[in-house]
Amino acid sequence: MTTILTYPFKNLPTASKWALRFSIRPLSCSSQLRAAPAVQTKTKKTLAKPNIRNVVVVDGVRTPFLLSGTSYKDLMPHDLARAALTGLLHQTSVPKEVVDYIIFGTVIQEVKTSNVAREAALGAGFSDKTPAHTVTMACISANQAMTTGVGLIASGQCDVIVAGGVELMSDVPIRHSRKMRKLMLDLNKAKSMGQRLSLISKFRFNFLAPELPAVSEFSTSETMGHSADRLAAAFAVSRLEQDEYALRSHSLAKKAQDEGLLSDVVPFKVPGKDTVTKDNGIRPSSLEQMAKLKPAFIKPYGTVTAANSSFLTDGASAILIMAEEKALAMGYKPKAYLRDFMYVSQDPKDQLLLGPTYATPKVLEKAGLTMNDIDAFEFHEAFSGQILANFKAMDSDWFAENYMGRKTKVGLPPLEKFNNWGGSLSLGHPFGATGCRLVMAAANRLQKEGGQYGLVAACAAGGQGHAMIVEAYPK
Amino acid sequence: MVACRAIGILSRFSAFRILRSRGYICRNFTGSSALLTRTHINYGVKGDVAVVRINSPNSKVNTLSKELHSEFSEVMNEIWASDQIRSAVLISSKPGCFIAGADINMLAACKTLQEVTQLSQEAQRIVEKLEKSTKPIVAAINGSCLGGGLEVAISCQYRIATKDRKTVLGTPEVLLGALPGAGGTQRLPKMVGVPAALDMMLTGRSIRADRAKKMGLVDQLVEPLGPGLKPPEERTIEYLEEVAITFAKGLADKKISPKRDKGLVEKLTAYAMTIPFVRQQVYKKVEEKVRKQTKGLYPAPLKIIDVVKTGIEQGSDAGYLSESQKFGELIMTKESKALMGLYHGQVLCKKNKFGAPQKDVKHLAILGAGLMGAGIAQVSVDKGLKTILKDATLTALDRGQQQVFKGLNDKVKKKALTSFERDSIFSNLTGQLDYQGFEKADMVIEAVFEDLSLKHRVLKEVEAVIPDHCIFASNTSALPISEIAAVSKRPEKVIGMHYFSPVDKMQLLEIITTEKTSKDTSASAVAVGLKQGKVIIVVKDGPGFYTTRCLAPMMSEVIRILQEGVDPKKLDSLTTSFGFPVGAATLVDEVGVDVAKHVAEDLGKVFGERFGGGNPELLTQMVSKGFLGRKSGKGFYIYQEGVKRKDLNSDMDSILASLKLPPKSEVSSDEDIQFRLVTRFVNEAVMCLQEGILATPAEGDIGAVFGLGFPPCLGGPFRFVDLYGAQKIVDRLKKYEAAYGKQFTPCQLLADHANSPNKKFYQ
């Protein structure tokens, strides 16, 4: 029940220059254990910058995130993306023609709809005059879609942007082998029967072996789960700690779902099936049950299991972002500002999943904030082991000195402010769509729990990472 | 089938591979009287698991010395006696080394066969106790686990290894002319099957952890860890220990079985080996193959087969006894002494005696994208050096770049690199036709055609564009460096770096310093060579330096022998049966007849009659007919793409006939022909030492073996003089001198050694 009372003297809609602002934290707050001062003021009153347009989140939605192979299994990615777009239109009632640009993130591309943003937008009834493009940056693809939009608005190119992401892991493109493809392409070009026959005679049965989409890092040939297990071992994260954290994620998600806090979820009537209304991967179990599972990657003694990893998920998300003055002029009450953001990258082998550790201090420094200023942390949970390894890295002076070029440690995010409504471990992780979910969770939490600043952070394949500050829109 | 497999695996064995092992490092042990406080081993107990950590003091590696033996048995006895302890983990505290093998100096110090046999038997007893241990012992292996180290590991009940590039397992004893003397010949065949065990022991090859897992040599792999709350190496060892402890507990609780599931092929092989007839065939085939490849010059491989056979056919007791006896016999052989000498020399030539250079070479430029230039580029880029490869024409540059790519891609095919690593290594290479970027170069190596005026021209061109600190190195096989440096503005920065072809395979680098070369320039050149993975000898400037100078008189003798009517094939077989990896006539073809002619003429002018013998006209006529050796498709032999069989070039008959010399019967026996070649080589080598071209005999031996293929079993020209006897060599030389004259006159230093039998090149 943390509440922050703000008393703006003057609340100018266009510039939001706040003359004075208090943040009062009553002693009866839930974080009693932390000896927080009765009155805690933020380092900075707002992150607005002179001469740069403020970018706001009007609202965002997502389809329910489902375990892959369940209700969405017969769909195509653009179907899911379209569902998110229509949901957004419904939720915000934004007139389609004011949308200047649409950007979607996705990871495993369906080759038929490689610009999935465009296909989904056309299907959702957006104006065919609204351009759309698709971006990819592994698990931070949707983050990239949003920040691309932020850039377009801040630079004055656009006023209204729809950003989103989609992933359909129920169906992935499985290709013929290179040899088979070559043979088929050559056959296409062959002119005479003789040429065709001579080509066909080159066929061997092993040509038929299919090529699956890579589940491993291209540069290191290591799967992400394997890397996560090594990362957990490097930071001496035990199996029990990982299971406990996963259990926390599932329990919090269940609670949030039951209490109706996951308000960004919009129902989706799946063609030929029932309407899907909620995420289906939330399954709080017991530590005893979880302890029975065998390691999934490093066998037989690893610590990463199916229960403490995020699962393969189908889902899509979309978010409406605008220039602040545009939103106000259209009569919207925005939910949050999108503020400073940061992309980082590091060694894709041994530090594949440490993106949040690297990105967090950088984005805070850029914004001029400290860890104490953050009221809502929303980190992407790829694996329990990854989150806990990031915690240990952030809490280590040795790591900060030797690998981050910092004098002191980053500091640990307080757990009571961390992923309070569940995370990717429990809600699911459709690679291309998670970014928008994180931002909406942060924005909605700030609205619901009170607080001014939220921090979104995520790791991604390729050893990359992202962090962004979400600032609550003053009520 | 089994036989085929064994042969297949064996096909890579050749004497030329000798001494390619890494990590089998000896150590000068400075004695310690540690009875109460242990210096090599500490052990602690975690729960009911004893963790035994090996850490030899003042050394980068652990070696099985007498002190380690005694401390180890003491600790193990405590563990076996303790009621609290139910299992044990054996691990090394050193990053990159489990146990690198037996202490070579300990073996070298043994005077008699009995002493060595006894050492072997003691080691056998210790590992036998490990094998029979009622409390399970887990060997946790990180880094090199070689020789005696492997024998300790395979006597444990379970093995866990890190999947690190540094973790290699193997039995390199054969490379030192010995055999695994601590039960390895008996346990290894049982563990991995006879064919695989013979392959390991006969080739001495190092096996990486993942391969070892497939073979059944280790039971579990542990992935190396990245940075965490501690440095990666430290945490990886700690993690390995943690994993090993859980397995030790599991074994003690009988939750984990030490037995391994065997694959179908393995089961079939094992079954086939139970049939005596099949076994006999395998032994026979392997023996034939070994005899063919070693030509009877290396006693160790045959003894290894013999000992393995004894163990299987007559039981373990007979096997162990035979192992220890044969081990003693082998250690006492000349071949083993020669090979161990080479090993010591190699260690010496892997050090930079000039110390660290003032400035590390980070940017390298190579002029000339020919075979040598591209080869040098390949061994540079894969060590992370930013390298510019420059040539005058696009065609030549393309060929050179393709050579580098192919070299790297072959490693991908052998799974030594991933395609991603290949690409990122290849991006260190820039191919260009101009001097762009030379202003950043720290070192320029020229590998242009062997022509003094051309070398002068490029030297002047390069000096106009390179920074002041940049070193100019010349890759030449015979042109004196001081002559090249004569036109330099800064001769202190000019040095010779003589690489051997093919650069990525030949380990030797001969560095040539002139009077004016500065110490820092030498230090830089050696540092670059070491980075490129080379074994380095540093010699003084002079015509032909050391290697080419030794080879030239031998080549002259080759021509004379051919003129005397010996068939090139016969000559080849005489030289290879003496231990040279490549026959003498084939060598001329490989080097290139034009190059040989060039060298013969140049050095002939300087050294005069002493380098005479054969008529250089033979080479001149070959060149004029276009018989340049392998590169032109014809030399003494005919070479065709994709054809392995070599046929004699019949067009040579008329040339040879026109230059025919009458053979002198008193010096034309097979043995005499061999010794005419070798003694001229040895005499010239000793003369190089006498004249100060060479600094040490060790460098002379390394240069001759690694650069010119001098028989490794003889240990190099200087070791050969020591072991064979200077007097006998001088006698031979005098005999040939009587027949041919001055070319065989023994040099003063050799004569001195003959006159005083106590004088040895190696004391």
Side-chain angles (χ1 to χ4, degrees):
Chain A
M1 278 298 291
T2 312
T3 50
I4 293 172
L5 306 174
T6 52
Y7 295 97
F9 258 163
K10 215 165 64 173
N11 196 352
L12 287 179
T14 46
S16 76
K17 283 176 188 158
W18 301 355
L20 185 62
R21 192 156 178 270
F22 298 102
S23 302
I24 298 168
R25 200 180 284 257
L27 268 176
S28 63
C29 71
S30 63
S31 53
Q32 278 169 332
L33 288 174
R34 297 172 70 241
V39 177
Q40 190 181 348
T41 50
K42 296 285 174 191
T43 310
K44 267 188 158 181
K45 291 175 187 81
T46 175
L47 296 179
K49 287 175 186 163
N51 305 324
I52 292 182
R53 298 171 96 194
N54 283 318
V55 180
V56 296
V57 176
V58 173
D59 207 349
V61 300
R62 64 182 175 91
T63 67
F65 285 177
L66 301 191
L67 296 159
S68 63
T70 58
S71 297
Y72 297 155
K73 70 176 177 186
D74 297 327
L75 300 177
M76 281 180 69
H78 71 285
D79 294 325
L80 268 180
R82 191 175 64 238
L85 285 174
T86 48
L88 185 71
L89 288 173
H90 181 74
Q91 183 109 336
T92 61
S93 317
V94 66
K96 288 167 187 165
E97 55 287 355
V98 300
V99 176
D100 295 318
Y101 207 99
I102 298 167
I103 311 163
F104 257 67
T106 196
V107 178
I108 309 263
Q109 283 190 335
E110 163 63 57
V111 284
K112 284 185 199 161
T113 58
S114 56
N115 187 1
V116 68
R118 178 67 173 160
E119 311 308 337
L122 286 173
F126 278 88
S127 158
D128 59 4
K129 302 286 186 292
T130 305
H133 82 259
T134 303
V135 294
T136 188
M137 202 173 176
C139 306
I140 50 179
S141 295
N143 308 66
Q144 184 54 259
M146 287 184 291
T147 56
T148 303
V150 170
L152 288 172
I153 294 173
S155 63
Q157 302 297 314
C158 299
D159 290 326
V160 180
I161 297 241
V162 170
V166 61
E167 206 67 48
L168 186 81
M169 292 303 288
S170 294
D171 180 35
V172 291
I174 297 172
R175 302 198 292 182
H176 270 300
S177 68
R178 182 93 190 226
K179 284 175 189 159
M180 189 65 192
R181 294 192 323 255
K182 187 168 182 298
L183 181 66
M184 289 156 92
L185 290 170
D186 287 348
L187 267 178
N188 239 354
K189 286 182 202 147
K191 291 201 175 65
S192 67
M193 185 53 87
Q195 281 177 341
R196 278 192 204 108
L197 284 176
S198 91
L199 278 171
I200 289 170
S201 72
K202 284 182 194 152
F203 173 81
R204 299 287 175 275
F205 265 105
N206 66 6
F207 286 17
L208 291 178
E211 222 172 67
L212 297 167
V215 285
S216 53
E217 280 292 303
F218 181 75
S219 60
T220 62
S221 310
E222 188 181 23
T223 61
M224 195 178 272
H226 198 277
S227 191
D229 206 322
R230 285 197 307 116
L231 185 73
F235 284 94
V237 179
S238 72
R239 166 81 182 265
L240 181 64
E241 285 174 281
Q242 293 181 46
D243 286 353
E244 279 171 352
Y245 182 84
L247 188 57
R248 171 191 189 269
S249 181
H250 279 279
S251 312
L252 290 176
K254 181 86 175 97
K255 187 160 169 281
Q257 192 178 50
D258 290 348
E259 290 173 8
L261 297 173
L262 305 176
S263 57
D264 55 338
V265 179
V266 291
F268 175 25
K269 167 71 181 75
V270 182
K273 295 202 171 99
D274 293 340
T275 301
V276 180
T277 56
K278 56 182 190 179
D279 305 328
N280 73 356
I282 307 171
R283 287 171 302 179
S285 168
S286 68
L287 286 176
E288 294 72 43
Q289 284 293 328
M290 291 167 93
K292 283 183 192 159
L293 284 180
K294 285 189 174 156
F297 300 98
I298 295 186
K299 296 161 186 170
Y301 56 85
T303 52
V304 173
T305 68
N308 59 35
S309 314
S310 56
F311 47 88
L312 292 181
T313 314
D314 301 337
S317 57
I319 192 167
L320 179 64
I321 55 182
M322 290 191 190
E324 185 181 28
E325 69 271 21
K326 179 79 178 176
L328 295 175
M330 288 180 72
Y332 283 116
K333 174 81 183 145
K335 285 198 159 169
Y337 292 105
L338 293 183
R339 296 300 196 189
D340 295 282
F341 61 84
M342 181 64 82
Y343 287 92
V344 294
S345 58
Q346 61 281 333
D347 170 21
K349 175 144 185 74
D350 290 330
Q351 307 196 0
L352 181 70
L353 304 170
L354 285 180
T357 300
Y358 283 90
T360 299
K362 285 192 174 167
V363 80
L364 288 174
E365 271 155 34
K366 195 175 172 206
L369 298 178
T370 67
M371 284 293 253
N372 292 330
D373 293 321
I374 305 297
D375 301 296
F377 289 88
E378 279 297 327
F379 278 36
H380 163 51
E381 299 166 343
F383 301 89
S384 281
Q386 165 257 335
I387 284 288
L388 296 171
N390 272 286
F391 282 178
K392 294 208 177 187
M394 291 166 101
D395 199 26
S396 161
D397 283 323
W398 186 87
F399 187 82
E401 275 165 37
N402 289 286
Y403 287 93
M404 301 175 68
R406 291 170 56 88
K407 292 204 174 64
T408 54
K409 62 187 180 185
V410 177
L412 205 55
L415 207 54
E416 66 276 9
K417 293 180 181 176
F418 192 87
N419 291 7
N420 286 3
W421 295 354
S424 298
L425 285 172
S426 44
L427 301 171
H429 171 42
F431 305 144
T434 292
C436 294
R437 179 188 68 72
L438 292 173
V439 165
M440 285 320 296
N444 287 335
R445 274 179 59 197
L446 290 173
Q447 294 266 321
K448 189 88 186 167
E449 299 171 346
Q452 190 183 355
Y453 295 121
L455 174 67
V456 166
C459 57
Q464 313 210 76
H466 168 75
M468 179 157 66
I469 307 278
V470 176
E471 183 180 343
Y473 200 83
K475 281 175 185 166
Chain B
M1 190 194 82
V2 181
C4 294
R5 218 173 134 226
I7 301 300
I9 306 169
L10 263 173
S11 62
R12 268 187 259 166
F13 173 78
S14 77
F16 206 43
R17 267 194 77 253
I18 292 264
L19 285 159
R20 276 244 159 165
S21 84
R22 59 171 178 149
Y24 194 87
I25 293 163
C26 79
R27 197 174 50 76
N28 278 318
F29 184 74
T30 43
S32 79
S33 55
L35 273 175
L36 294 172
T37 52
R38 296 191 189 105
T39 52
H40 292 257
I41 286 178
N42 76 63
Y43 99 98
V45 182
K46 289 196 173 174
D48 56 6
V49 183
V51 180
V52 182
R53 300 187 189 91
I54 309 168
N55 195 358
S56 296
N58 312 319
S59 168
K60 277 187 191 166
V61 295
N62 295 319
T63 44
L64 294 172
S65 57
K66 280 186 180 156
E67 293 79 5
L68 182 63
H69 273 173
S70 68
E71 283 188 22
F72 184 63
S73 354
E74 198 181 292
V75 165
M76 287 317 293
N77 286 335
E78 274 182 44
I79 289 170
W80 283 315
S82 162
D83 292 337
Q84 290 160 17
I85 297 169
R86 298 181 58 224
S87 58
V89 168
L90 187 59
I91 193 169
S92 156
S93 304
K94 289 191 197 298
C97 176
F98 177 68
I99 300 173
D103 185 347
I104 296 185
N105 290 352
M106 172 179 80
L107 295 174
C110 292
K111 294 272 180 290
T112 63
L113 190 150
Q114 285 73 26
E115 259 183 274
V116 185
T117 305
Q118 207 184 334
L119 273 180
S120 163
Q121 284 168 349
E122 275 167 33
Q124 284 178 349
R125 267 195 294 279
I126 296 178
V127 293
E128 194 187 358
K129 275 169 93 179
L130 288 182
E131 187 181 40
K132 301 230 165 103
S133 169
T134 47
K135 299 179 178 177
I137 305 167
V138 177
I141 304 161
N142 178 49
S144 46
C145 172
L146 300 171
L150 183 75
E151 293 176 290
V152 168
I154 59 173
S155 61
C156 294
Q157 279 67 41
Y158 209 75
R159 281 149 301 280
I160 303 178
T162 54
K163 198 178 155 189
D164 191 290
R165 287 226 166 129
K166 280 187 185 159
T167 301
V168 287
L169 298 91
T171 47
E173 287 89 345
V174 70
L175 304 179
L176 297 173
L179 56 75
T185 60
Q186 307 303 306
R187 274 184 202 97
L188 212 48
K190 283 183 198 144
M191 180 163 270
V192 297
V194 178
L198 280 176
D199 171 59
M200 280 179 72
M201 290 190 280
L202 294 176
T203 62
R205 80 174 74 197
S206 290
I207 293 166
R208 286 209 300 262
D210 44 355
R211 174 98 189 90
K213 170 91 178 354
K214 279 192 197 127
M215 287 170 67
L217 203 52
V218 299
D219 300 287
Q220 293 293 341
L221 294 180
V222 165
E223 295 284 335
L225 301 181
L229 301 175
K230 284 177 186 172
E233 298 82 26
E234 199 183 320
R235 175 63 194 148
T236 299
I237 293 179
E238 209 178 84
Y239 179 53
L240 173 66
E241 187 181 303
E242 288 165 17
V243 173
I245 287 173
T246 57
F247 276 95
K249 280 193 179 136
L251 285 164
D253 297 340
K254 305 249 182 308
K255 280 183 189 155
I256 297 166
S257 160
K259 288 231 173 67
R260 189 175 62 91
D261 290 332
K262 290 186 174 174
L264 182 65
V265 177
E266 238 179 300
K267 277 183 192 157
L268 285 175
T269 312
Y271 172 73
M273 290 306 287
T274 57
I275 306 165
F277 174 73
V278 175
R279 285 204 304 270
Q280 294 309 324
Q281 289 302 308
V282 171
Y283 300 143
K284 214 177 108 195
K285 288 278 174 201
V286 175
E287 255 171 51
E288 267 173 30
K289 187 97 187 170
V290 165
R291 269 184 216 284
K292 202 174 155 212
Q293 282 181 338
T294 62
K295 306 200 188 302
L297 296 168
Y298 296 85
L302 289 176
K303 295 228 159 136
I304 290 172
I305 300 172
D306 194 38
V307 172
V308 170
K309 199 156 93 180
T310 308
I312 293 172
E313 305 300 331
Q314 297 166 34
S316 294
D317 288 345
Y320 286 124
L321 185 65
S322 164
E323 179 186 271
S324 61
Q325 283 170 347
K326 295 276 187 324
F327 182 72
E329 288 167 21
L330 282 173
I331 292 291
M332 289 293 129
T333 57
K334 277 184 187 168
E335 288 81 2
S336 173
K337 291 203 166 26
L339 291 170
M340 285 194 189
L342 279 177
Y343 172 75
H344 283 293
Q346 197 186 11
V347 171
L348 199 75
C349 293
K350 282 271 183 191
K351 287 183 183 143
N352 193 343
K353 61 179 172 187
F354 299 99
Q358 283 166 14
K359 195 171 188 303
D360 260 355
V361 172
K362 295 207 171 81
H363 295 267
L364 184 69
I366 296 164
L367 300 174
L371 216 55
M372 297 304 287
I376 300 167
Q378 189 192 325
V379 297
S380 306
V381 288
D382 70 358
K383 309 300 182 315
L385 280 170
K386 291 271 173 213
T387 306
I388 294 174
L389 186 61
K390 182 199 173 302
D391 205 304
T393 67
L394 193 59
T395 335
L397 186 61
D398 277 355
R399 197 216 62 83
Q401 284 177 303
Q402 183 55 34
Q403 183 189 329
V404 178
F405 183 82
K406 185 172 178 294
L408 295 171
N409 202 37
D410 287 348
K411 287 192 181 173
V412 174
K413 285 184 187 152
K414 283 183 200 146
K415 300 206 169 150
L417 282 181
T418 66
S419 60
F420 183 84
E421 284 166 330
R422 173 200 65 202
D423 297 344
S424 83
I425 289 170
F426 195 61
S427 66
N428 285 331
L429 184 75
T430 318
Q432 60 190 49
L433 299 171
D434 54 17
Y435 284 109
Q436 191 197 336
F438 274 58
E439 71 280 357
K440 273 197 292 185
D442 302 310
M443 178 184 276
V444 174
I445 301 176
E446 68 79 15
V448 301
F449 189 70
E450 295 267 43
D451 175 67
L452 193 60
S453 60
L454 178 63
K455 300 224 181 218
H456 279 166
R457 205 185 78 212
V458 297
L459 173 59
K460 283 185 206 154
E461 272 179 26
V462 166
E463 280 194 344
V465 288
I466 54 177
D468 289 341
H469 73 273
C470 181
I471 291 160
F472 184 90
S474 186
N475 173 60
T476 169
S477 54
L479 294 175
I481 303 302
S482 52
E483 280 181 33
I484 295 174
V487 299
S488 171
K489 285 185 282 186
R490 352 153 288 161
E492 73 281 2
K493 295 282 184 195
V494 179
I495 196 166
M497 288 174 88
H498 178 199
Y499 290 87
F500 292 76
S501 182
V503 182
D504 58 327
K505 302 259 159 42
M506 297 293 280
Q507 278 180 288
L508 189 72
L509 169 62
E510 183 180 30
I511 288 181
I512 306 106
T513 58
T514 71
E515 302 269 293
K516 290 180 182 161
T517 307
S518 74
K519 186 172 160 271
D520 188 56
T521 301
S522 310
S524 268
V526 175
V528 167
L530 289 176
K531 196 163 197 182
Q532 292 167 333
K534 297 292 169 199
V535 174
I536 295 169
I537 62 170
V538 182
V539 304
K540 286 235 173 71
D541 193 23
F545 324 128
Y546 167 66
T547 50
T548 311
R549 183 170 159 184
C550 288
L551 199 57
M554 188 171 114
M555 282 299 151
S556 178
E557 199 60 28
V558 166
I559 295 171
R560 169 153 55 198
I561 291 164
L562 290 168
Q563 282 179 285
E564 285 177 352
V566 177
D567 180 26
K569 275 199 171 163
K570 159 95 175 171
L571 178 59
D572 273 356
S573 90
L574 284 177
T575 33
T576 50
S577 65
F578 198 76
F580 283 94
V582 179
T586 308
L587 185 63
V588 178
D589 276 0
E590 294 288 340
V591 170
V593 178
D594 51 338
V595 177
K597 169 179 170 272
H598 220 83
V599 171
E601 282 170 359
D602 284 359
L603 296 186
K605 267 182 235 159
V606 183
F607 293 105
E609 200 192 335
R610 199 157 51 78
F611 273 42
N615 190 345
E617 182 58 23
L618 177 76
L619 297 175
T620 315
Q621 284 195 24
M622 283 178 81
V623 171
S624 68
K625 288 212 172 177
F627 301 154
L628 304 183
R630 179 183 283 279
K631 58 187 167 189
S632 71
K634 274 184 181 175
F636 290 108
Y637 295 93
I638 293 173
Y639 300 90
Q640 278 168 300
E641 196 71 42
V643 180
K644 268 206 167 166
R645 197 170 52 95
K646 281 191 302 184
D647 287 324
L648 280 176
N649 179 3
S650 53
D651 295 342
M652 282 300 297
D653 295 350
S654 60
I655 300 179
L656 285 169
S658 70
L659 295 168
K660 196 158 172 56
L661 289 174
K664 302 195 178 190
S665 58
E666 71 276 20
V667 289
S668 294
S669 71
D670 284 358
E671 204 191 351
D672 278 325
I673 287 175
Q674 288 172 331
F675 271 93
R676 273 162 61 188
L677 294 168
V678 173
T679 50
R680 281 191 79 174
F681 188 117
V682 170
N683 194 29
E684 201 59 37
V686 176
M687 202 175 237
C688 285
L689 184 66
Q690 178 185 313
E691 291 178 4
I693 297 276
L694 277 176
T696 58
E699 284 175 295
D701 281 346
I702 292 294
V705 172
F706 287 90
L708 305 173
F710 193 89
C713 54
L714 305 180
F718 296 95
R719 180 76 60 180
F720 178 57
V721 173
D722 278 0
L723 291 174
Y724 186 80
Q727 185 59 54
K728 281 204 233 166
I729 292 173
V730 168
D731 289 348
R732 289 254 178 204
L733 278 164
K734 287 198 169 143
K735 177 179 165 193
Y736 305 138
E737 188 185 15
Y740 293 110
K742 263 180 136 178
Q743 294 131 20
F744 286 98
T745 311
C747 71
Q748 191 55 49
L749 185 58
L750 195 56
D752 290 350
H753 274 248
N755 290 336
S756 46
N758 287 333
K759 261 194 164 174
K760 297 268 180 203
F761 290 110
Y762 294 92
Q763 290 307 323

